[in-house]
Amino acid sequence: MRARKQHDDKGEPLIVDSIQPPPLLEVNNLAVDFSLNGSPVPAIKDLSFTVRPGESVALVGESGSGKSVTSQAIMGILPLNATISAGEILFNHPGSGKILDIAAIDAGSDQMRSIRGGSISIIFQEPMTSLSPVHTIGDQISEALFLHRDASRQEGLQLTRTMLEHVGFPHPARAMKMYPFELSGGLRQRAMIAMAMICHPALMIADEPTTALDVTIQARILKLIKELQAELDMALLLITHDLGVVANMADQVVVMYHGRVMEAGPLQDLFGNPQHDYLKALMHAVPRFDLEPGERLVPVREIHSEIGDLLQKETPSPVNGGAGAHLQVRDIRKTYQLHSGTWVGSETRELLAVDGVSFDVERGECFGLVGESGCGKTTLSKIIMRAITPDQGEVIYHDHQQAIDVRGLEGNDLLAFRRKMQFIFQDPYSALNPRMTVFDILREPLVVHELGDLDYQREMATELMHLVGLDPRFLNRYPHSFSGGQRQRIGIARALALQPDLIICDEPVSALDVSIQAQVLNLLKDLQQELGLTFVFISHNLAVIHYIADRIAVMCRGRIVELATREKLFANPVHPYTRALLSAVPHPELSQPLSFDAINEAAESEPALWQFPFTIEHNQATDFIQLDEGHYVRVMAGCKSSDLAA
Amino acid sequence: MLKYILRRLVTMIPTLLVISMLVFVIIQLPPGDYLESHIAELQSQGESVDEQKIQFLREQYGLDKPMLQQYLFWVGGMLQGDFGYSFEYDLPVTEVVGDRLFLTIIISIATILFTWMIAFPIGIYSATHQYSWGDYGLSMLGFLGLATPNFLLALIMLYLANVYFGTSIGGLMDPEYIDAAWSYDKLLSILEHLWIPVVVIGTSGTAGMIRRLRANLLDELQKQYVTTGRAKGLPPGKLLFKYPLRVALNFFVADIGNLLPTVISGAEIVAVVMSLPTTGPILLSALQSQDMYLAGSFLMFLALLTVVGVLVSDIALALLDPRIRLGGAASK
């Protein structure tokens, strides 16, 4: 381990080791190979680290760095085409007190099965797909208990209920009979944790446990894991790419890259004084709140974008120059009908997805929309694009001199308007047709709008590839041969093919690794500057929004609760929901730990529980008042900005 | 859910009405009627035709009335349980079909059980041992079964059974039992003959089911919840049966809707080749000779079974899968 060696060189004593308890898990020189078409491809090379009882160790790295394979090797659940080719995984089995080499035990043997779930358990990233859709929560959790512990049916179910209550289910008895799809993402992950904890394992592996969750829910889940860990004296192997989570959860950190350890050591050493270039690069790639204005993120790998002749506009629109509103959204409201069936009849509920949303987007600015999943931001973006029809409200697009009522467009007018506004999607995997080559994907918008002949389209596609920093020789390839970040760049190129003025970016980086995220964010920022684009940027990640947006609207339950310029919103957040969001962000710095004590279960996103004057009871009227220049907040009807001071 | 079932039952009425009209029109589409084709047949055999008798029959069966009236007469009869009269057999339709229905059901159920018993283990094996020699070998056998014409296989099997086991050619029992009362020997004779049509009819179905089960199970085996189960420490067998197989069964339950009508109609071509006393050949000949009430009532019965079968499989799916039972659908 490089870091520790460096400490040796500095002459720091190694006595610490001798007073520490013996390791619970010791991975020595582990190597795992995948066999692809008969030839071995190494996924992990020479990996070593130790986990002591009760300690938290974080495995950090990008996708493809081998961190998940490590967890699979420890659990003995490697895919069939993977084999441990060298090394040992020594596990100090708490039941027998013996030290077992997991790498040498047959993964299908009874001994390994009793370790899996009994002494080592795991939780996964995506709680929806990790639970069986057709079995109740209670069944799936108690199953783990009955497999490993001698408990009667009654006792087992009672223990399961207690566990569910422990992980924060409000109605554990009812939850026992519920199915995963009936629960929210946060509760599903809690059920997953209950399942992993029910046998009181000595080691829990958490494989990106909060990556799929909203930031406030992430904070609660991290808090829960921390509490349970302390209570049960359990060791935690945390696998994540999020340095903010690492800074708040880990005692020891192991940084992996391409199946190798780059740097390892105690959290304080690594974050306080990173030695290896890779870790330094990762740290620079993470968007932070304390970035100077104009400071750029440094991606691990830069990309070079260049603008060709076809894409260069004759008169670039003025940027950030107060050129008037580009898009006006007025009082948009949209409700969904939800039908739920039971054995005796069905009921229909109304879900208010977007409620009276109004805002202006200036020409050339980046307007950020931030909020948790289900807050209506994607519905809103689709209404602006005219992919969904709202119940009321209007969308007005200003095409320089001419104001266009987007909702009133029909036929050819609508088709012509489509060229002005384009969309970048969240998931780069499903946004590209796998049966079309990149050339066909980039050409399609031009074909739909009958722009140019084949030669023009080929030239345009080549320029677009240059624009997003991809080699035009890849034009004949299919999307599957590209990585997630490259695919997202193809999606961006497609959105730019029609040379639109306004682009809606719906969570364009949330499916990407930190290093790739910085790359794509920088690309978007540059393109906006150079092509004079207006962005509506949707994200749940406040750090990303902070990096890219000029003005930010915070959405909750279909309403905009606060709207301000970036500086004002982050310097002086007024609304309790905005504050909750900000306080839930894990910073990749040791000086700003998450205050787990301040995390209030379920209160942040419940309008009825917001303190005066922000409280919104059911369907109550609200006012959107101005605090100072360009800073608005939603309060109870009739309140003045002077009430806020009180 | 009760409301849902009621609503489905009510919507069945217009569906069946439309089907009955289609059936009737299609049967009437070829020129002429049963009596005309009957006369033509008699004349071609050189027999004389009694014009008066024909006229009497025509009036008796209402064949001289307009089509709409004939249709109403037929539908009205069916509603009262009278399925009409078969010209060819000179018997009420219920009596013509009734005898054979029982044997058809026996063959069909045996075939379905045979299909499941063979297809399930093979499908599960193929999915869990993907790309192994066993998978390839069994898949090839399955494709052979799918590709072999049933009637050809039937002829070969009849020949082999006759040569090696001395089983009489054709039929579902030895000739001496055909009109005899039920006895132990008759049952034995039926069992002795039964396996040939079961194997012949079953092979193609088995192959199809293996392929579908394998594909569905392979999809499910990739899912994350299977890994969760493994990480829990579940033994492989229990894991397979409780999780992926359970989810993969959806297609199988959805298939029940198609099973009901085939249980009754039997495999027509094979039945003709093997001269099985099932309902399939009757339907075929009734359609050929324009024996309209026999054909019409039979087709209606099949339609009814299809509609009921689909309802049954929908209800079974809701029972099996909570996502269908409890899940709500959002309207855009």
Side-chain angles (χ1 to χ4, degrees), chain B:
Chain B
M1 197 71 198
L2 283 175
K3 224 163 120 187
Y4 168 77
I5 295 173
L6 270 180
R7 200 171 65 227
R8 286 287 300 267
L9 285 173
V10 172
T11 51
M12 272 164 70
I13 296 171
T15 314
L16 286 173
L17 259 181
V18 171
I19 294 175
S20 72
M21 286 178 207
L22 283 175
V23 163
F24 196 79
V25 168
I26 290 171
I27 290 176
Q28 295 280 20
L29 270 185
D33 54 31
Y34 172 73
L35 290 177
E36 273 173 30
S37 38
H38 187 59
I39 293 165
E41 198 177 316
L42 286 181
Q43 280 172 341
S44 71
Q45 286 167 4
E47 291 182 32
S48 66
V49 181
D50 185 347
E51 278 298 327
Q52 258 187 330
K53 189 185 167 200
I54 296 292
Q55 199 53 41
F56 171 76
L57 283 173
R58 182 155 286 166
E59 275 169 34
Q60 179 80 23
Y61 297 137
L63 294 181
D64 51 349
K65 302 250 169 56
M67 201 163 118
L68 184 69
Q69 215 170 335
Q70 290 186 39
Y71 170 72
L72 290 176
F73 175 72
W74 174 58
V75 171
M78 274 200 299
L79 287 178
Q80 296 161 31
D82 172 12
F83 291 93
Y85 197 83
S86 163
F87 307 130
E88 195 171 1
Y89 291 85
D90 230 354
L91 282 170
V93 167
T94 36
E95 278 179 41
V96 179
V97 178
D99 267 1
R100 291 171 165 236
L101 204 55
F102 177 66
L103 286 173
T104 313
I105 292 175
I106 288 186
I107 291 191
S108 299
I109 289 181
T111 310
I112 290 169
L113 288 180
F114 169 81
T115 309
W116 289 352
M117 273 174 353
I118 306 286
F120 260 80
I122 295 184
I124 292 171
Y125 179 88
S126 286
T128 48
H129 298 75
Q130 195 192 5
Y131 302 143
S132 66
W133 281 105
D135 177 26
Y136 286 134
L138 290 168
S139 292
M140 199 181 82
L141 266 183
F143 280 130
L144 274 181
L146 202 60
T148 315
N150 275 346
F151 64 88
L152 185 68
L153 189 63
L155 290 174
I156 295 170
M157 296 272 285
L158 281 180
Y159 171 76
L160 292 179
N162 185 261
V163 170
Y164 291 102
F165 304 115
T167 315
S168 63
I169 297 276
L172 206 51
M173 56 196 91
D174 285 330
E176 67 255 40
Y177 296 109
I178 284 180
D179 281 320
W182 281 97
S183 64
Y184 180 69
D185 288 338
K186 181 172 176 174
L187 192 68
L188 266 188
S189 174
I190 288 181
L191 286 179
E192 194 189 339
H193 284 77
L194 188 63
W195 68 273
I196 302 178
V198 164
V199 169
V200 170
I201 303 170
T203 40
S204 65
T206 309
M209 171 136 333
I210 291 174
R211 301 308 299 168
R212 272 175 294 162
L213 185 64
R214 177 177 181 272
N216 276 281
L217 198 53
L218 274 178
D219 276 353
E220 292 304 323
L221 284 171
Q222 309 289 335
K223 299 262 173 85
Q224 181 74 43
Y225 66 83
V226 181
T227 315
T228 309
R230 277 215 286 162
K232 237 187 250 184
L234 274 171
K238 197 176 171 202
L239 174 68
L240 177 71
F241 281 95
K242 182 167 176 186
Y243 294 106
L245 191 60
R246 161 86 194 271
V247 181
L249 276 185
N250 272 10
F251 93 91
F252 174 75
V253 174
D255 210 41
I256 291 177
N258 300 329
L259 275 182
L260 267 188
T262 48
V263 166
I264 306 306
S265 72
E268 293 86 358
I269 307 289
V270 175
V272 171
V273 170
M274 305 182 85
S275 63
L276 298 176
T278 57
T279 47
I282 298 191
L283 176 61
L284 217 56
S285 72
L287 287 170
Q288 279 168 344
S289 64
Q290 291 193 307
D291 192 350
M292 68 179 212
Y293 291 122
L294 181 57
S297 301
F298 203 96
L299 289 177
M300 271 318 287
F301 192 45
L302 288 185
L304 178 71
L305 284 174
T306 310
V307 179
V308 170
V310 170
L311 178 65
V312 166
S313 65
D314 280 357
I315 294 173
L317 272 180
L319 283 175
L320 191 72
D321 194 332
R323 286 170 297 183
I324 297 170
R325 185 167 70 241
L326 304 169
S331 62
K332 293 247 154 163

